[in-house]
Amino acid sequence: MIYSMESDQVPFVEKELWYYAGFPRGVEPPENIKKLMEESGAEMRSCLKPQLVYQVFDRSQLSYIIDASKDLTVNLKGCSKVIIFASTIGPLVDSMIRRTQGIDAAKAGIMQACGAMFVESFVDSFNEKINKDYQGKTKPRFSPGYGDVPLTVQKDFFRLLPCQKIGLTLMDNLIMAPEKSVTAFIGIKD
């Protein structure tokens, strides 16, 4: 299944942007940096194409992945169904960041943070939808590369999901293109 949003619907989460830009939680950036963040976020929003593909599996169908990870097993304890998804905010974000790197390194850093904030905000919105659809019976999402789940699990996502439908590819080094993309498991409690 495919889930998408209009670019203007993806929440701009200011405090998360501060965090992704390197400011510790609870520390507010100076006004000039906040202004640059707002301008960069507005500029990036114009090129967002937030979309994801997902599928619901019986836990047993993914046991070969889940059981190989202590952390994922703990996260999915009590779940008989598991959603896996692959998401992106689109290739134009990567292009915008690359163009900015050649012009203004400070702004490019802020653009990187904006991209991270927007993809996480989009995925958070999907999480909220799934949690509502399953009446609050979901577990926190868990991504390959976190805890003891190796990045090689990305290959399973790309084998099980039609990632090409949203223009998402997996490179040999296990990095996704476009870069501002997320894959994850979401457990559905019994």
Side-chain angles (χ1 to χ4, degrees):
M1 292 183 265
I2 294 181
Y3 173 78
S4 63
M5 295 176 87
E6 295 297 321
S7 62
D8 62 348
Q9 294 175 323
V10 180
F12 182 92
V13 185
E14 187 177 63
K15 289 183 180 180
E16 286 300 303
L17 177 54
W18 299 350
Y19 174 75
Y20 289 120
F23 291 89
R25 299 259 185 221
V27 175
E28 194 168 319
E31 286 304 315
N32 64 324
I33 301 296
K34 284 171 56 177
K35 185 174 190 274
L36 179 60
M37 289 175 167
E38 290 169 17
E39 291 169 355
S40 298
E43 188 178 339
M44 184 171 283
R45 184 180 293 285
S46 69
C47 70
L48 296 179
K49 188 175 181 187
Q51 52 188 345
L52 64 77
V53 290
Y54 71 100
Q55 188 169 336
V56 182
F57 290 90
D58 288 332
R59 187 193 185 287
S60 62
Q61 292 175 283
L62 301 175
S63 63
Y64 67 100
I65 299 170
I66 297 165
D67 296 343
S69 163
K70 180 182 173 188
D71 295 333
L72 191 55
T73 298
V74 168
N75 177 267
L76 298 175
K77 185 177 181 178
C79 298
S80 58
K81 301 260 185 222
V82 178
I83 293 172
I84 66 168
F85 72 84
S87 65
T88 184
I89 54 174
L92 295 178
V93 170
D94 288 358
S95 298
M96 177 178 279
I97 293 169
R98 277 192 303 275
R99 277 194 318 274
T100 306
Q101 285 171 337
I103 300 167
D104 183 341
K107 185 175 180 180
I110 298 298
M111 287 287 198
Q112 283 283 0
C114 284
M117 179 272 301
F118 276 128
V119 73
E120 289 296 325
S121 184
F122 170 57
V123 171
D124 287 346
S125 295
F126 175 69
N127 262 122
E128 290 170 17
K129 174 206 177 314
I130 293 299
N131 195 44
K132 186 178 177 183
D133 289 351
Y134 287 92
Q135 291 117 17
K137 294 183 177 182
T138 62
K139 294 278 194 122
R141 71 177 180 266
F142 204 98
S143 291
Y146 185 75
D148 67 350
V149 180
L151 275 178
T152 54
V153 170
Q154 299 279 53
K155 293 178 182 178
D156 293 297
F157 280 77
F158 280 77
R159 183 177 52 78
L160 295 168
L161 296 171
C163 296
Q164 70 283 358
K165 286 187 176 183
I166 60 168
L168 191 56
T169 59
L170 185 65
M171 296 183 280
D172 291 340
N173 62 2
L174 303 175
I175 301 297
M176 292 181 284
E179 276 189 41
K180 297 304 180 198
S181 301
V182 172
T183 56
F185 300 87
I186 302 174
I188 303 184
K189 295 179 271 189
D190 300 334

